[in-house]
Amino acid sequence: MKEYIISFAQAFPNFRVAELESLADLHGIQVDLRHHDEKKPFLKVQLEDDEQAKKLIKRSILAKGIYELWGEGSDLDQLHESVQKQSTDKFSTYKHNTFRFDFVSFMGAKTTEEKIETIDTFRYLGFEGKIRLKNPEVIFAILEEYFVSGQERAEKPEYLWFGRQVEISARAEGVVEKYDLKKRRYIGTTSFDAELALVSCNVAQVQPGKVLYDPFTGTGSFLVAGAFFGGYPIGTDIDARSVRGKGSNNLLSSFRQYGTALQFIDLWTMDFTNNALREDFVIDTIVCDPPYGVREGLKVCGAKDPEKAAGRENNVVEGELGFKRRDYIASKKPYDLPSLLDDLLRFAAARMPVGGRLAFWMPTANDEYAEHHIPQHERLELLYVLEQEFNKWSRRLVVYVKRDETYKGVTHNGMRLDQVTHFRDRYFKSFNEKSKQNGADSH
């Protein structure tokens, strides 16, 4: 085994392990991530070789790069001692390659003069190749972690590592900026954050050539993200407006924007609870953000007043029954999130192959959340519940994997209808309702 060090971005640190574990599992890699500290941007890991390191990091969104570790220390002298003790046998391998040095720093930085001075201390490496700033054959990196207290600039790093760059991530290649919603042609008020959509697809293990399904497509944030990883997206949505878009500005235009239109299978106007997809059509991965019913009530096809709806359906217009006309809009009735999540888990358990993953987001009030609120299905193993916090409420990415017949889980719906209704009420009251009540109870 060889030692490597991973450099992370300072974004969603509580999602890092889930993303890397999912990518490791996808590629059949064994890696120990137990020593990860969310407060730190660097993590040492052991892997068999560079090929494993490349596979682990190549499509990561939360990591920036991975480096073969040559040495480490609490100051520059210790770093050099470590490099010369552990990695002397590597020096000759890169003696004649073109190269450059990079600095990867956290909470601090060096001036250009300080960087040059530091690089000069590595002369003992004996490299004879030319320094090439653009496209060198080998990149070496000095990774620095500074400790900052207050507003004062740290004078020197608290710890250093030195290594050879093995791979940079999709993030480092600019995918987060490329997929930024501000640059996307087709978005709406409910378009999901691009960075987290990409992370969701990684944790859900969207794979090249495999079918990705979003039952509540909207403007297609997850489908667009999944196509970046090579998935074949299909989507459905009860709202025909998201399917049609406006003129040429629609979901297909987003795929064209990113050069993934050939992967896009299709999008249908469909009520998920009355799903019309063939039962033998295999769906490898499901990633979605179910409608919470917060901004507007959650609805499905049906009618609160069946007799009135039947009259409208059977009304003859220009010699044609109403429900057969192309301009007919089906009646809708209220539905609740707990029932919808039950439907989603049952659908996933029935349609996904063994090993397929379901990932969806659900809202919770921070002061009311408990683990048993997460719904379960006997064929789906719960892998992760990852939280994105918004002050007094959170949304959680819930991830399951389908197991074979030997897996005996439990089936239960953790959410109650009154919890969802209460969440909606508190959402519009800025979640002050309970805190005010608690204040009154304390007097």
Side-chain angles (χ1 to χ4, degrees):
M1 300 292 280
K2 297 171 61 177
E3 278 198 318
Y4 295 85
I5 186 163
I6 299 171
S7 169
F8 289 104
Q10 291 306 299
F12 310 108
N14 56 320
F15 285 66
R16 291 173 184 166
V17 170
E19 185 192 41
L20 287 186
E21 281 183 347
S22 299
L23 294 177
D25 178 73
L26 180 62
H27 296 293
I29 298 171
Q30 297 292 324
V31 60
D32 185 357
L33 303 173
R34 290 177 298 174
H35 300 294
H36 172 255
D37 184 342
E38 293 181 5
K39 297 179 181 179
K40 295 184 177 294
F42 303 112
L43 173 65
K44 283 200 304 182
V45 296
Q46 290 190 332
L47 297 166
E48 290 183 3
D49 51 33
D50 286 2
E51 191 61 31
Q52 283 196 349
K54 290 177 181 179
K55 289 179 178 179
L56 180 65
I57 296 299
K58 181 64 177 177
R59 56 181 275 180
S60 175
I61 302 301
L62 300 179
K64 295 192 294 185
I66 189 167
Y67 306 82
E68 179 190 40
L69 186 59
W70 283 27
E72 59 184 291
S74 57
D75 57 34
L76 200 53
D77 289 336
Q78 283 191 15
L79 176 62
H80 289 314
E81 182 181 347
S82 175
V83 171
Q84 291 173 307
K85 182 179 181 180
Q86 299 177 26
S87 303
T88 304
D89 60 324
K90 300 182 179 72
F91 297 175
S92 60
T93 304
Y94 307 98
K95 185 173 183 177
H96 301 292
N97 292 114
T98 58
F99 70 96
R100 79 162 187 255
F101 275 66
D102 282 350
F103 284 79
V104 181
S105 302
F106 174 69
M107 299 295 286
K110 282 181 166 62
T111 64
T112 301
E113 291 76 12
E114 289 172 332
K115 289 181 179 179
I116 294 173
E117 183 180 337
T118 300
I119 292 171
D120 283 340
T121 65
F122 286 87
R123 288 185 178 277
Y124 61 84
L125 295 172
F127 296 152
E128 297 179 2
K130 292 183 179 181
I131 297 173
R132 183 181 293 169
L133 299 182
K134 289 186 177 181
N135 302 316
E137 293 172 306
V138 189
I139 297 174
F140 296 94
I142 301 165
L143 300 93
E144 305 175 316
E145 184 175 9
Y146 291 79
F147 177 76
V148 178
S149 179
Q151 301 296 319
E152 294 186 8
R153 177 180 178 271
E155 294 297 326
K156 59 180 181 179
E158 188 176 60
Y159 206 81
L160 303 95
W161 299 264
F162 179 74
R164 174 181 59 86
Q165 179 179 293
V166 177
E167 185 65 86
I168 60 172
S169 68
R171 182 191 193 91
E173 294 278 13
V175 67
V176 175
E177 290 78 12
K178 178 181 178 181
Y179 279 75
D180 191 333
L181 292 180
K182 294 178 182 177
K183 302 176 182 178
R184 191 170 302 176
R185 295 173 187 171
Y186 182 57
I187 62 171
T189 56
T190 59
S191 293
F192 202 88
D193 174 81
E195 183 174 1
L196 275 178
L198 290 161
V199 172
S200 301
C201 288
N202 263 343
V203 179
Q205 295 184 334
V206 174
Q207 301 179 51
K210 301 291 186 178
V211 174
L212 163 66
Y213 176 43
D214 182 351
F216 319 102
T217 299
T219 56
S221 296
F222 295 109
L223 299 185
V224 171
F228 170 76
F229 295 117
Y232 285 178
I234 63 170
T236 60
D237 201 294
I238 196 171
D239 188 348
R241 293 171 297 180
S242 65
V243 177
R244 290 194 301 264
K246 190 173 182 179
S248 61
N249 190 26
N250 50 37
L251 181 53
L252 181 58
S253 65
S254 291
F255 288 100
R256 287 172 175 161
Q257 178 181 352
Y258 298 116
T260 55
L262 292 179
Q263 295 165 226
F264 178 47
I265 297 178
D266 212 337
L267 174 66
W268 296 272
T269 301
M270 186 187 301
D271 171 14
F272 173 69
T273 63
N274 291 279
N275 202 287
L277 294 176
R278 269 198 344 255
E279 291 187 5
D280 60 347
F281 180 71
V282 177
I283 295 169
D284 299 286
T285 310
I286 300 173
V287 185
C288 59
D289 183 28
Y292 305 155
V294 172
R295 290 185 177 87
E296 56 181 291
L298 174 60
K299 295 181 180 180
V300 296
C301 288
K304 288 192 291 185
D305 186 344
E307 291 186 5
K308 183 177 180 181
R312 189 168 66 89
E313 291 173 357
N314 294 314
N315 185 34
V316 178
V317 180
E318 297 179 356
E320 188 176 9
L321 286 172
F323 74 93
K324 291 186 176 182
R325 292 178 57 85
R326 290 182 60 85
D327 60 355
Y328 175 75
I329 299 176
S331 301
K332 297 181 178 66
K333 64 180 180 180
Y335 207 55
D336 58 85
L337 183 58
S339 297
L340 184 66
L341 295 183
D342 269 350
D343 295 336
L344 181 59
L345 266 63
R346 283 198 300 270
F347 181 88
R351 300 298 186 91
M352 293 192 310
V354 172
R357 291 196 176 192
L358 162 67
F360 66 84
W361 289 82
M362 63 178 287
T364 56
N366 293 339
D367 55 4
E368 296 181 348
Y369 170 73
E371 288 186 8
H372 63 261
H373 292 164
I374 302 299
Q376 302 274 8
H377 189 281
E378 61 184 3
R379 291 293 302 279
L380 302 175
E381 180 184 355
L382 179 63
L383 295 180
Y384 304 108
V385 180
L386 307 171
E387 179 185 13
Q388 183 191 18
E389 187 174 344
F390 299 98
N391 191 12
K392 297 180 180 180
W393 73 283
S394 299
R395 60 183 178 188
R396 286 173 163 82
L397 177 62
V398 187
V399 185
Y400 308 79
V401 60
K402 182 177 176 179
R403 298 303 188 194
D404 61 22
E405 293 83 356
T406 62
Y407 179 78
K408 301 298 181 184
V410 296
T411 298
H412 78 86
N413 191 330
M415 295 190 72
R416 302 191 312 270
L417 179 57
D418 63 320
Q419 289 175 321
V420 179
T421 305
H422 186 48
F423 176 87
R424 186 174 189 271
D425 293 340
R426 294 189 64 199
Y427 179 90
F428 286 110
K429 294 177 181 178
S430 300
F431 291 88
N432 292 323
E433 176 185 280
K434 188 166 185 175
S435 59
K436 287 181 179 179
Q437 183 63 42
N438 288 341
D441 292 342
S442 64
H443 291 289

